[in-house]
Amino acid sequence: MARKNINTTLDEDLYKKIKVLAIELDKNANDLIEEGMEYIINKYENQKNV
């Protein structure tokens, strides 16, 4: 899958928590953010199908 650079702003505390979690899980913070975005998309797509 092609990747796209984006520029956005996030709550500082939220981003700090993501960075800490990424370190604990030995993952990239960007991967966790992307996983969260996929979760939200799936959540709302499933609600439309109910």
Side-chain angles (χ1 to χ4, degrees):
M1 172 184 351
R3 302 197 64 84
K4 170 87 173 145
N5 284 329
I6 63 167
N7 185 23
T8 189
T9 58
L10 299 172
D11 177 83
E12 284 185 43
D13 290 333
L14 178 61
Y15 188 62
K16 286 178 185 176
K17 289 177 184 179
I18 289 291
K19 290 194 305 184
V20 169
L21 183 60
I23 291 168
E24 290 172 355
L25 297 174
D26 195 28
K27 290 188 173 196
N28 186 300
N30 187 69
D31 292 339
L32 293 180
I33 293 168
E34 193 171 284
E35 184 178 333
M37 293 170 76
E38 289 174 355
Y39 173 82
I40 290 298
I41 289 169
N42 290 331
K43 174 184 173 181
Y44 287 100
E45 283 179 344
N46 288 337
Q47 285 181 359
K48 285 193 287 186
N49 296 327
V50 172

